[in-house]
Amino acid sequence: MKTKILHIVTLSEIGGVQKIVYHLAAESDRNAFDITVACAPGGELVGWLRDIEIKVITIPQLKRNISLFHDLFAFWKLYLLLRKGSYDIVHCHSSKAGILGRLAARLAGVPKIYFTAHGWSINEYQSLPVRYLYTLVEKIAGAISTKIICVSRDCLLNGLKLKIASQKKFVLIYNGLPEPEQRNNLLRKELNIGKEDLIFGMVARLAAPKDAMFFLKLAEHMINNRESFVGKTKDKTGFRNKIYFVLIGDGPQRAACQAFIKDKGLTGHVFLLGTRENAAELIHDFDVFTLFSRWEGLPLTVIEAMLAGRPVLASDIGGVGELVVHGETGYLIKQGNLAEAVEVSWKLAENKELRLSMGEAGRRRALEHYSLKTMVEKYRELYLS
């Protein structure tokens, strides 16, 4: 008899959490597991799953922001779904679905309740009352969880520090991805960028946690102050080609990003491409992948960049330091340190051999430690335990 599993994730739009849910469903053993996914409607995840004949139940009341009316309605719908479905396992992902889904599963009497913490909703940028409230809610949900899966050691240690649950409930399973299909020059052809010109790229939602404005400030410094830096780095090789910055993603800060690009005279040098389903393929056209998040779990975009053989320049935050080996597969900087980012960026810009060697080292590391096969097998073991 098959084990019935319901995955619950808040949104269905493109994102790291959605990709993990998709891969867990797509790679599951159909002879052993009967998989269903519940999520908000309207996003790419719904289409992806239905294309591979995974059952999807959409709940319009599942929304990112807190809303008493919508949250209570979503909770009631989840409870009815769980009561009717007789699931053996409920596996929740993302903060909102993680709380509502686990509470509904407990009330419905589901035997096993799992939650993957792709990153805690609690961070230092919140006020003390908000942090206290979120921590309390996570503790309540943690108390009724069978297991809490953390995607990085940093995430696990923070969960223990916050006393979300007892140590025996925590499990560490790193995110994993398939090796992307290599289709070079798609991005360069679209933007009419020369083969020898340099592209610094970022793939992220344009929202506060990812700090896209920092990326744009780096672009301004490198483009508008180019002559102040070219040829002055220790490892210079005489870089004289054009530099472009490409930001893939969308979100509430898009208008602010567009205004910054216009005000600083960066039009034609910095491109906002919006959401792209083939972002993992486009990364192959980057020369340097960047991510300057304020907080993180274990970002899939960094793994995608490593699999594409690209050096990574990122904030040393969350689980990023577990992915990137500083000085070997890329560089880690202190979050928000623009001067450090500019210095390291020019070091990478002026040394092609360094970029290539770091990229290849990152690719080997990703294939060894962050493969899709390893992740799926560890979740299978957990489901059958």
Side-chain angles (χ1 to χ4, degrees):
M1 189 173 179
K2 295 182 181 180
T3 301
K4 293 189 68 175
I5 301 176
L6 176 67
H7 289 276
I8 307 175
V9 59
T10 308
L11 303 179
S12 56
E13 64 187 35
I14 290 180
V17 177
Q18 288 73 21
K19 287 181 181 179
I20 292 299
V21 172
Y22 169 78
H23 287 306
L24 289 177
E27 301 298 323
S28 63
D29 182 352
R30 303 292 179 94
N31 294 319
F33 304 112
D34 180 2
I35 306 291
T36 302
V37 176
C39 59
E44 292 82 359
L45 179 62
V46 176
W48 296 346
L49 292 170
R50 287 176 176 165
D51 285 344
I52 58 171
E53 299 181 343
I54 294 290
K55 184 179 180 181
V56 181
I57 298 172
T58 58
I59 301 177
Q61 292 76 23
L62 277 174
K63 299 181 181 296
R64 184 189 303 274
N65 296 328
I66 294 174
S67 166
L68 183 60
F69 173 77
H70 288 120
D71 293 347
L72 287 175
F73 203 166
F75 171 80
W76 182 245
K77 282 195 170 183
L78 287 170
Y79 168 73
L80 294 177
L81 171 62
L82 292 166
R83 288 282 293 183
K84 182 180 179 181
S86 300
Y87 295 98
D88 301 297
I89 296 172
V90 165
H91 188 170
C92 301
H93 308 259
S94 68
S95 299
K96 177 70 74 69
I99 300 300
L100 299 179
R102 282 182 285 174
L103 292 174
R106 177 60 179 268
L107 189 63
V110 178
K112 294 182 180 179
I113 304 172
Y114 297 141
F115 171 60
T116 294
H118 297 271
W120 300 109
S121 59
I122 306 149
N123 60 73
E124 63 185 24
Y125 296 96
Q126 297 163 337
S127 65
L128 285 176
V130 170
R131 292 173 66 182
Y132 177 82
L133 177 61
Y134 284 7
T135 303
L136 177 61
V137 173
E138 287 288 357
K139 286 182 177 181
I140 293 171
I144 61 177
S145 301
T146 306
K147 291 290 182 181
I148 298 174
I149 302 96
C150 294
V151 298
S152 69
R153 190 166 298 281
D154 178 82
C155 179
L156 191 152
L157 293 175
N158 281 334
L160 291 173
K161 183 179 179 181
L162 292 166
K163 298 181 180 179
I164 300 298
S166 61
Q167 186 169 354
K168 66 181 181 180
K169 285 194 175 186
F170 284 98
V171 178
L172 174 62
I173 300 179
Y174 283 113
N175 288 334
L177 288 174
E179 193 170 0
E181 182 180 351
Q182 186 167 351
R183 296 173 62 186
N184 291 341
N185 299 321
L186 289 177
L187 185 63
R188 291 177 184 271
K189 289 177 181 177
E190 177 184 342
L191 302 178
N192 195 28
I193 295 176
K195 185 178 179 181
E196 297 302 320
D197 292 329
L198 199 69
I199 298 178
F200 279 73
M202 178 173 165
V203 180
R205 186 168 183 268
L206 305 187
K210 303 300 182 181
D211 203 359
M213 293 304 297
F214 186 93
F215 175 78
L216 296 181
K217 290 175 183 177
L218 173 63
E220 179 198 3
H221 274 259
M222 293 191 70
I223 292 169
N224 291 341
N225 301 292
R226 175 182 174 129
E227 296 305 319
S228 301
F229 291 95
V230 170
K232 291 187 177 181
T233 58
K234 185 178 179 180
D235 300 313
K236 64 185 178 183
T237 57
F239 174 79
R240 287 285 171 180
N241 300 86
K242 296 178 181 178
I243 304 177
Y244 297 93
F245 285 75
V246 175
L247 182 50
I248 300 175
D250 213 333
Q253 292 187 342
R254 183 181 180 93
C257 291
Q258 290 174 325
F260 184 93
I261 291 170
K262 182 179 180 181
D263 292 345
K264 301 298 181 180
L266 301 176
T267 303
H269 299 278
V270 180
F271 298 94
L272 295 182
L273 300 189
T275 301
R276 295 292 181 91
E277 285 195 46
N278 65 338
E281 295 177 21
L282 298 181
I283 287 174
H284 281 279
D285 278 348
F286 292 177
D287 293 284
V288 179
F289 179 87
T290 69
L291 189 68
F292 301 113
S293 305
R294 294 180 176 181
W295 61 89
E296 275 291 354
L298 196 83
L300 293 188
T301 53
V302 171
I303 299 177
E304 289 171 340
M306 293 169 69
L307 286 170
R310 297 298 176 258
V312 177
L313 169 58
S315 300
D316 189 5
I317 200 78
V320 178
E322 296 168 54
L323 296 172
V324 180
V325 180
H326 182 71
E328 181 180 326
T329 68
Y331 291 107
L332 298 170
I333 66 166
K334 183 178 179 182
Q335 199 281 317
N337 191 326
L338 185 58
E340 188 179 2
V342 170
E343 180 182 354
V344 174
S345 293
W346 277 116
K347 186 174 183 179
L348 287 166
E350 293 198 313
N351 195 325
K352 183 176 181 179
E353 289 74 20
L354 178 65
R355 297 196 303 271
L356 294 176
S357 65
M358 283 186 161
E360 182 55 33
R363 184 174 180 277
R364 291 195 301 267
R365 178 172 173 78
L367 290 172
E368 181 179 357
H369 297 287
Y370 309 107
S371 72
L372 177 61
K373 181 180 179 180
T374 298
M375 180 188 74
V376 170
E377 183 57 34
K378 286 185 178 294
Y379 274 108
R380 175 187 171 87
E381 293 172 1
L382 180 66
Y383 293 153
L384 297 177
S385 63

